[in-house]
Amino acid sequence: MADVERAPLIPRRATAVARGWIADFQSFIAKGDFFDLATGVIIGGAVGSVVSSIVNDILSPIISIFVGGATLENAYIFLRGPDPELCAKEPGVCDHLTTPALAAQYGAITLNYGRTLQFLINFFMVALILFVLVRIYTNAKDRFKKKEAEAAATAPPPPSSKECKFCLQDIPKAATKCMYCTSNVTGL
């Protein structure tokens, strides 16, 4: 029976690309960027939770005072009022439609701006907090680099000479023979 040459299941080019990606991923993890990214995602999630709590529990009740007592999430404007036939079945209910969902039950069309405002406030607060954290981080990093540069500037320069162990004279560091006693000084 003759040997039939089969085409590989995965083309060679694809395996070469995959190997390249794997090598890139390994170097990404080795550099520490992976852990920086993971830390950023975790901190971002925690900051998002804190900001959501601040907006929902502190800012929204204050803003709700200005939008007629409803919570900010339920703030809306009528684009078309409730259906008069549905309102006639239950008198007085249509005068107190406090949520967009309740208004929709009675046939009203609403522009629900409250949730959008709440999400915008959340977004800007998260952005502000992350900006402050990044600013603190970069300032600390710059101060650290400045201290390193100052330390490097004040450090004594490396010696340009060495001492001959035979005659105790100073000779150039790159010398292989002492110019005073002609001893072999390699390896000093």
Side-chain angles (χ1 to χ4, degrees):
M1 189 167 195
D3 287 333
V4 176
E5 189 174 317
R6 293 184 177 184
L9 292 176
I10 301 173
R12 288 188 179 118
R13 174 137 173 79
T15 54
V17 168
R19 283 189 194 117
W21 285 355
I22 291 169
D24 287 347
F25 184 69
Q26 287 173 339
S27 70
F28 171 72
I29 289 175
K31 280 193 259 181
D33 293 341
F34 174 76
F35 296 108
D36 292 343
L37 179 65
T39 302
V41 168
I42 291 168
I43 289 174
V47 166
S49 299
V50 170
V51 167
S52 292
S53 176
I54 289 170
V55 170
N56 293 337
D57 301 332
I58 296 172
L59 293 179
S60 289
I62 293 170
I63 294 172
S64 70
I65 293 170
F66 299 107
V67 288
T71 61
L72 182 60
E73 185 174 332
N74 291 328
Y76 67 94
I77 297 172
F78 282 113
L79 295 178
R80 186 184 77 200
D83 185 11
E85 292 176 10
L86 292 174
C87 290
K89 292 179 184 176
E90 297 179 45
V93 173
C94 288
D95 297 334
H96 304 289
L97 298 174
T98 56
T99 66
L102 187 59
Q105 284 179 353
Y106 286 93
I109 297 176
T110 60
L111 177 68
N112 306 328
Y113 66 89
R115 287 193 76 191
T116 304
L117 279 177
Q118 192 161 5
F119 287 131
L120 284 172
I121 292 169
N122 280 0
F123 170 76
F124 284 115
M125 289 203 49
V126 167
L128 177 67
I129 289 171
L130 289 177
F131 170 76
V132 168
L133 288 175
V134 167
R135 183 95 187 239
I136 290 169
Y137 172 75
T138 54
N139 285 343
K141 189 175 174 182
D142 290 345
R143 273 188 262 130
F144 181 72
K145 283 184 180 180
K146 186 177 178 182
K147 285 181 182 179
E148 278 185 341
E150 288 173 358
T154 59
S160 60
S161 63
K162 59 184 177 181
E163 189 176 80
C164 174
K165 65 180 177 179
F166 301 106
C167 66
L168 303 177
Q169 294 291 325
D170 280 340
I171 57 174
K173 191 174 186 178
T176 56
K177 279 193 175 268
C178 176
M179 63 183 157
Y180 300 106
C181 69
T182 66
S183 300
N184 189 6
V185 291
T186 54
L188 288 184

